[in-house]
Amino acid sequence: MQHDLASQGWGSRVDQYDIIDKHTQSGLELVEKYVKFVKERTEIEQNYAKQLRNLTKKYNPKRGCKEEQECRFSNHQSFLDILNEMNDYAGQRELIAENMMMNICIELTKYLQELKMERKTHLSEAKKAQQSLESTYKQLDSSKKRFEREWREADKAAQYAEKTDQDINATKADVEKAKQQANMRTHIAEECKNDYAAQLQKYNKEQSQFYFSDMPLIFNKLQDMDERRVRKLAQGYVLFSDTERHVMPIIGKCLEGVTKAGTNVNERNDSIALIEQYKSGFERPGDLDFEDYSQGINRASSDSSLGTLGTPKGPLELLGKNRSKPFWLFSKKSKLSPSPSSLTTLSTPPAPSPANGPPSPKFGRDPLSYCLKEINKTVKPRISSFRTLGRTPTVTEDFGHLPPEQRRKRLQQKLDDIGKELQKEVDQSAALEKMKDVYEKNPQMGDPASLSPQINQTAQNVERLRGEFNKYEVMDSPLLATVMYCMPCSHIRISIFIIKHMCVSPSSPDGTHSEEGTPDPSQAIYAEFDDDFEEEEEELVAPIGQCTAMYNFPGASEGTITMQEGEVLSVVEEDKGDGWTRVRRANGNEGYIPTSYVSISLSK
């Protein structure tokens, strides 16, 4: 039965020891070769992932650079999304390399060492069995040769005794001696014969054990070892593909992210974002009136000329000392301010606007002097050319290099940042005070005096940030005057209010304004228009839609109205770009509210 089992495996090929030895060695070398192949594959994956990461890092914008500022546009943001997806893709390639190294290379290397030890043990057992059989065979051969030699000597001794016995000249003693010698040789030969027979029996038994039991068993063990090696190697082959297949869904999501980034590009929104980003709040200049010098009529500027508060002036007169320079219709700052001497101080500036909100849409009771004073501070009395638009303006702390609308946004952003930092310092100060109180009550936990430097530093930081907050809040308040001065014609109500309170004399010969003088007759049209407007003001304007409050608004500034979350109000006037919407309650009260605080639904 055992022989039948052996005949089904390598045990039936005990005469192929050298072939089995080479075959098992070749199998182990194949495992080593595959491990080396996978290692090189992991190096390729790691290098590929590294190159991808370097590529994404190369094209990612640096913090604070121009490209980062352009990320508000969908096409720029989509490119950043693609870079992020490729960075994640690189991470999946690294994961493939790591899993292949752990699950294939390391596992197979460890298993290969075990196979080498097992193979060495089996081959050692086979060598011992073979050496034992060879030793038994040598003993058999030695006993056989001794038996052969002793048998020849015994045969010679017997022949000599017989010859001596037939010799008539031999004495009886010689005959007896020859016979004794022959008997002794025969006895020795018999013993050698018996020993040879025993050695032969032993060898045959060991040979049978060697060929039918020991070696088949060893070869079958080698066969089992080699089959396990092949099975383990096959698993390594499968892992080679499964490792990559397992991350394919994530890689697919990365590629889907790239596709989504492409579909998220919205050219219309990008155009609108560009408008919002660089919206200055300035109005485009109107047409210039024809100046007929042949009729002796005084030169007059167009109604749209900015800064013409007294006697109308032409653009060359407004330029003053810059008459020799070219006159350009458009500029980055084309708003011209009148001389401060021509303005009558009527009231103090309005209170600062609430933090984290747009400036109040209403002035104080008499805002004219403050309004024009701030315009005179922030707007240069000259018209620059298109060529100056391409130049980088000098960045100032109050963002005075920016147009009013952009400056207002930047100041509000600065207020938000300082407010957050201030709140952080206040929280830290409160935490330090609590810790100091705990230390005072429990001295074993710490020394209260050790916290004094931190508390003092935090207090200094709070005072510094409060000063900065107040400074930027004061900077933010005058912007309302500038923005209102540059409002569209839809804000004619406020423009008329400003013009109504103006009392400016004609220009002096040197281009300055006198503090006192008679109003210009050309301003009569404004007074007439104002009278008509006041009559229309008595009638309530029909609502153009409704809005729902998303947040509470205190309405602390003049011209605003209090609003509670969830309250429904009627929209009387849309937001004209200044961040405020005019609404009306059911009781007839009207006022301005922040546009970002409500959800507006306009009537079609």
Side-chain angles (χ1 to χ4, degrees), residues 123-167:
L123 294 179
S124 178
E125 292 175 354
K127 189 174 182 180
K128 288 180 180 179
Q130 188 174 4
Q131 289 176 350
S132 177
L133 182 62
E134 291 177 355
S135 178
T136 304
Y137 179 77
K138 288 180 180 180
Q139 293 177 2
L140 173 63
D141 187 61
S142 177
S143 62
K144 177 182 177 182
K145 290 179 178 179
R146 182 182 176 188
F147 167 64
E148 181 182 6
R149 185 175 62 254
E150 292 297 332
W151 180 255
R152 288 196 187 99
E153 292 296 330
D155 186 49
K156 288 181 181 179
Q159 292 179 2
Y160 180 75
E162 185 179 357
K163 182 178 180 180
T164 303
D165 185 46
Q166 292 178 0
D167 188 3

Side-chain angles (χ1 to χ4, degrees), residues 47-63:
N47 292 333
Y48 178 48
K50 182 179 180 181
Q51 291 177 359
L52 281 179
R53 290 193 183 278
N54 292 338
L55 181 64
T56 56
K57 183 179 179 181
K58 174 182 177 181
Y59 284 93
N60 259 315
K62 297 180 181 179
R63 182 173 299 179

